[in-house]
Amino acid sequence: MNEKSHLNHLLLLIFATVCLSTSGPLGKFIDMPTPVIIWWRSILAVIILFLFCAYKGINLKISNKKDRLTFFIAALLMGGHWIFYFYALKRSNVAIGMISLFTFPVIIALLEPFFSKTKLDPIHIVLGLMVLVGISILAPEFNLESSQLQGIMFGLLSAICYALRILMLKEHIATYNGTMLMFYQVVILTIILAPVLFFMDTSNITTQYPYVLLLAIVTTAIGHTMFVQSLKYFKASTASIIGSTQPIFGIIIAFFFLNEIPSFNTFIGGSLILATVIIESIRSKKIK
């Protein structure tokens, strides 16, 4: 990869990061039950991605039958990631929800040796400890009734699902188009979540649809697809850590549109967690 090509891929990854950062403020703002939001997000993404694949002539054929199981598990993990994440946002706030989720790059770095021939780097253990300290600052009191702690726990569950999904799909990026991978995952998720429409309140869609559309188009169709596509050009851990600047954009958006101001503990704990982004980015560049 030459310098110009590398820069172009990096800019696309940053653009995907900005798109993905809208998920926090939108997830907090949309007034519907979380599983219903995720179903609408998925069905709209199915339509958008199918039209895009048809327009671009992207092949939707699954060449290996064994890959179907991988796609199904990846869809379940994506559903877990979205649902736990939105619960984290609604139980706490955008800053805590997003920062808790973005422990996933360190989780990926720690788990990657189990999915590939990559060796565990001792620095990733140090970064993992830094993340744990950051989380302890975010929630100084271990009280299960605390909405702050509940938000962090849901955020960590979301991070684990997201990390496992990225690692599972990485080896398939060379074979399949990123948009095609995303299309099948949202199709599966739409089918799995369809029953929630029968026992949860869906009436608010009449007033919330503009924000759900933004979530489906900007965050899901554009952001997630471009991020998965970036794995062709970057290590999973490196791409994820660069993408971890999302909380910064999300907190800024929440400040202007939701009037959310992070607490002092959030700034300190969040800064420590995001410091792992800077350390790993510089370290990865030197290794490269």
Side-chain angles (χ1 to χ4, degrees), residues 113-269:
F114 297 99
F115 288 80
S116 65
K117 295 179 181 179
T118 307
K119 291 183 179 180
L120 178 63
D121 193 327
I123 190 64
H124 289 145
I125 297 174
V126 176
L127 294 178
L129 292 173
M130 285 178 63
V131 166
L132 288 175
V133 173
I135 290 170
S136 69
I137 295 172
L138 284 179
E141 286 186 286
F142 191 81
N143 180 2
L144 292 176
E145 293 182 1
S146 165
S147 61
Q148 219 174 12
L149 181 60
Q150 289 173 9
I152 292 169
M153 292 176 71
F154 278 122
L156 290 175
L157 285 172
S158 177
I160 292 169
C161 289
Y162 196 27
L164 290 172
R165 171 179 170 262
I166 288 174
L167 289 167
M168 281 189 66
L169 290 179
K170 181 167 173 57
E171 65 181 76
H172 293 83
I173 295 298
T175 308
Y176 300 107
N177 181 280
T179 306
M180 178 266 206
L181 290 173
M182 191 66 188
F183 171 74
Y184 275 111
Q185 288 172 85
V186 288
V187 166
I188 293 167
L189 200 53
T190 299
I191 296 169
I192 291 172
L193 288 178
V196 304
L197 300 177
F198 296 100
F199 58 85
M200 287 189 174
D201 183 17
T202 62
S203 59
N204 278 7
I205 190 63
T206 55
T207 58
Q208 300 295 302
Y209 73 88
Y211 314 110
V212 176
L213 278 172
L214 279 175
L215 186 66
I217 297 170
V218 177
T219 310
T220 310
I222 298 175
H224 274 272
T225 302
M226 289 181 67
F227 185 83
V228 171
Q229 195 69 17
S230 73
L231 295 177
K232 277 188 177 181
Y233 311 104
F234 300 96
K235 279 178 60 180
S237 53
T238 303
S240 299
I241 288 170
I242 291 172
S244 293
T245 53
Q246 287 178 53
I248 297 171
F249 295 112
I251 290 168
I252 292 170
I253 294 169
F255 174 76
F256 284 106
F257 292 95
L258 301 178
N259 296 316
E260 284 193 0
I261 302 174
S263 67
F264 179 74
N265 276 12
T266 301
F267 275 118
I268 300 300

